Each structure stands twice: as C-alpha cells, then as structure tokens.
Amino acid sequence: EQSKPQPGGPTVTPEQTLAAFAHMVEPSDTEESFDTKVVTSLRDRLARLKAAQAVFPAVKDPLTKLHTKVEGDTGKLYAWFESMLPDDVKTKLSKEIFCAMVMHVPANAPKIPLETFLNGIENNMDE
C-alpha cells in the first residue's frame, strides 16, 4: 500500500523501504558491506536533502522566474542547467538524461511543469 502522493513524488511506506533495502544486499553480505551499500548511501542522501532544505527557499523565486521566462521550455531549462555543470560532466549529461534522471519527465517532453522543475532542482542540489 502506498501513502498519499506528496509534492515531488510519492511517499513510500516503511514496508516498501525495507523491501528496497533487502534488494540492495545479499544474505551473505557482511555488516561492512551493508554499511557501504545502504547506510553510507542514506547518510549521503540525507545530507544533500538537509543542505537543499536550507538553501532552496532562497532560490525558489528566481527559479520560478526563470521557468516563467522560458515558459517551461525543456531545451532552455536544460541549457541553463548544463551551463552550471563542470566540463567533465557536461559531456555525460544529455538533454534526455536531464529529463529522465533530474526532471523525471519523458526524454522528449517539450515543456517541464513548474512544480516538476522546482522539485527536480531541489532534489538534485549538492551540498
């Protein structure tokens, strides 16, 4: 059973979370392996989320204005996002990957809805 969807995507139940963790490790894995595969990943993700929660309120209005200015055009939002990436990452992050992995929209989406754009940026902010 899934909880009521929240802005930014669905909320998973504790049972679904535990089932996902179970798929991340093999029964023969050591405690050290579990720490590497699960605990470290969770700590890193939580640190990113805390950093985003601290910073995002200050950038939400400018991001909203950017989205409005380009009318949600996927190509223009991708160009903006790409302009902030380090050179070694730019060659690896195509527009299609940006759509699928960052924005969670179809790779050929002509526009990105405002809430989807804001959630995609907030969920992918680094510390």
Side-chain angles (χ1 to χ4, degrees):
E1 176 183 331
Q2 189 164 331
S3 303
K4 181 180 177 188
Q6 301 295 315
T11 302
V12 296
T13 65
E15 293 79 16
Q16 289 171 318
T17 303
L18 290 174
F21 291 155
H23 289 289
M24 293 175 74
V25 294
E26 298 294 324
S28 60
D29 281 348
T30 64
E31 186 175 322
E32 209 171 76
S33 179
F34 180 80
D35 186 62
T36 301
K37 290 180 178 179
V38 178
V39 177
T40 301
S41 295
L42 284 174
R43 284 188 183 133
D44 292 348
R45 181 66 180 136
L46 287 172
R48 287 179 72 184
L49 287 172
K50 286 179 183 179
Q53 286 177 342
V55 173
F56 193 75
V59 298
K60 184 177 180 181
D61 284 343
L63 289 171
T64 300
K65 288 177 183 170
L66 167 68
H67 185 277
T68 301
K69 180 179 179 181
V70 301
E71 298 177 333
D73 180 270
T74 301
K76 292 177 182 177
L77 292 173
Y78 168 69
W80 166 81
F81 187 82
E82 183 186 41
S83 73
M84 296 183 291
L85 296 174
D87 288 338
D88 62 323
V89 176
K90 284 181 185 182
T91 59
K92 299 174 187 169
L93 188 82
S94 66
K95 182 175 137 187
E96 292 76 17
I97 293 173
F98 167 76
C99 287
M101 302 299 292
V102 179
M103 292 293 127
H104 300 284
V105 297
N108 60 351
K111 294 191 180 283
I112 299 171
L114 175 60
E115 284 304 312
T116 302
F117 172 67
L118 294 174
N119 289 330
I121 297 300
E122 183 175 20
N123 291 332
N124 288 282
M125 292 180 86
D126 287 328
E127 292 181 69

